[in-house]
Amino acid sequence: MRVLGIESSCDETAAAVVDEGGRVHADVVASQIALHAPYGGVVPELASRAHLENAWPVIDAALAQAGGIERIDAVAVTAGPGLVGALLVGLSIGKAIAFARRLPLVGVDHLEGHLFAVFLDRGEPRSIPTLPFVGLLVSGGHTALYEVHAHDRLTLLGQTRDDAAGEAFDKGAKLLGLGYPGGPIVDRLARAGDARSVRFPRPMLREGSLDFSFSGLKTALARHVELHGVPEGQALADLAAAYQGAIVEVLAQKALEACAATRIPRLVLAGGVAANAGLRARAAALAGERGVSLFVPELASCTDNAAMIAYVGALSLASGRSDASDLAPYSRAREIRRGKIVAPSRRAGR
């Protein structure tokens, strides 16, 4: 089975073709970074309009790479969470293709896509986890820990109480005048810096909870800049390393605590921040110390992409699920409330 995946939840217009084994036959992404950079963040209305312009060229390119629409057996499309206007673009086009070609249609939760991106086969040697595993999902809009038993059986173990880690990276970069998107810039600077140069707080690290909080850390950086100004050269790299170190330490420590609490010795990093070199290194070090196997997607599978949507769509279709033509944004969120995804769990030290 080959599934056409469509992703338009935020500021990436993406289309991909993936089979039920996770093999990626085509993967095309149109980025909107240049469009939103002058504003320091994503402008929803501009994002929706850009999706309208980019969607068909991106889909056509993906289909051409995969041998044409005739080789497509089903359509999967992101149904939420995300920007409503942006989601509607992808959903409308996905429904139109499925209707016109008389193909099965399935809506995919964006977060499930990230958690299962580690299974994508892009032609390079890779190791993949067995189920169940603990998933640390970290992006610009989400920071959460899940116990994952199947694509539709997730238990929420902990989540951020305020800001996502990716937002903390971007807002921190803005405070330092580094540009947008800030996370990759902070990561590059941090590689040449000394994380011990400034002592930032580690929010909620010792509170016996698997929840997160990053708003106070942003305030701590803002206060430091207010008192000392924005440094240059090596001092700027040191400050970036210290700030990133605080975020990464909390993420990695709590992820390994979740593995201990659930007695699952497999940890998967997921989401855009999973591409962060500092997080990968710290998680690998702690996992090695505690006998936990760490699995990280390829870089192309970390950020928003349609391959992960197509793959989870293939898994859903293989299990007998497809959606009616009235598929609407956040339909998967309604399934979460009905209990197909259990949240939150009280057993993991909560």
Side-chain angles (χ1 to χ4, degrees):
M1 176 189 294
R2 286 191 173 194
V3 178
L4 169 66
I6 300 171
E7 155 63 21
S8 66
S9 63
C10 190
D11 62 337
E12 310 281 10
T13 311
V17 176
V18 178
D19 62 35
E20 70 275 14
R23 180 62 187 267
V24 179
H25 298 273
D27 187 16
V28 180
V29 180
S31 174
Q32 298 181 16
I33 288 177
L35 176 65
H36 300 288
Y39 307 98
V42 177
V43 181
E45 177 64 20
L46 294 180
S48 300
R49 292 177 182 272
H51 285 308
L52 282 169
E53 295 176 1
N54 296 332
W56 281 115
V58 166
I59 292 170
D60 286 342
L63 290 174
Q65 289 182 16
I69 187 69
E70 295 77 14
R71 302 193 65 184
I72 300 302
D73 302 300
V75 179
V77 60
T78 303
L83 304 175
V84 174
L87 286 166
L88 282 171
V89 175
L91 282 163
S92 299
I93 292 175
K95 289 193 291 184
I97 294 173
F99 179 81
R101 303 294 303 187
R102 298 184 178 180
L103 296 173
L105 172 69
V106 63
V108 173
D109 183 85
H110 182 78
L111 305 186
E112 289 180 21
H114 275 306
L115 287 168
F116 278 78
V118 71
F119 292 99
L120 293 175
D121 178 4
R122 297 181 179 272
E124 298 293 331
R126 76 203 197 286
S127 58
I128 59 175
T130 56
L131 294 166
F133 62 79
V134 171
L136 172 63
L137 198 163
V138 198
S139 67
H142 307 278
T143 299
L145 282 162
Y146 293 92
E147 183 177 336
V148 180
H149 287 267
H151 74 278
D152 56 355
R153 286 183 59 209
L154 315 176
T155 301
L156 179 64
L157 302 174
Q159 62 185 332
T160 182
R161 296 184 181 180
D162 40 57
D163 301 328
E167 181 184 355
F169 273 115
D170 287 340
K171 294 295 177 59
K174 189 172 183 178
L175 283 168
L176 298 176
L178 299 178
Y180 172 85
I185 303 174
V186 171
D187 190 23
R188 287 195 297 271
L189 273 174
R191 296 176 196 183
D194 180 2
R196 300 166 297 178
S197 60
V198 179
R199 179 60 184 173
F200 284 110
R202 271 60 174 163
M204 299 187 68
L205 187 58
R206 306 299 180 193
E207 293 189 14
S209 166
L210 293 178
D211 283 345
F212 303 87
S213 172
F214 294 104
S215 61
L217 182 57
K218 290 193 311 184
T219 301
L221 177 61
R223 180 61 174 160
H224 182 89
V225 170
E226 181 183 345
L227 292 174
H228 305 287
V230 177
E232 298 179 354
Q234 184 60 47
L236 179 59
D238 290 343
L239 183 57
Y243 183 67
Q244 174 169 287
I247 297 173
V248 162
E249 189 66 24
V250 172
L251 293 171
Q253 289 278 7
K254 285 182 176 285
L256 271 298
E257 289 174 15
C259 289
T262 57
R263 298 182 181 180
I264 297 176
R266 292 170 294 279
L267 172 63
V268 170
L269 302 186
V273 181
N276 182 279
L279 175 58
R280 289 180 175 226
R282 187 58 181 149
L286 288 179
E289 292 173 3
R290 303 182 191 186
V292 172
S293 298
L294 177 68
F295 301 89
V296 185
E298 296 180 50
L299 292 177
S301 299
C302 290
T303 53
D304 289 352
N305 65 89
M308 65 186 191
I309 302 302
Y311 178 60
V312 173
L315 294 177
S316 297
L317 290 162
S319 67
R321 176 186 159 221
S322 63
D323 292 302
S325 60
D326 62 350
L327 182 69
Y330 299 99
S331 61
R332 185 71 177 112
R334 289 195 290 273
E335 291 184 12
I336 293 173
R337 288 196 294 272
R338 289 201 298 267
K340 288 188 73 175
I341 292 179
V342 182
S345 169
R346 291 287 174 183
R347 79 178 187 188
R350 294 176 57 78

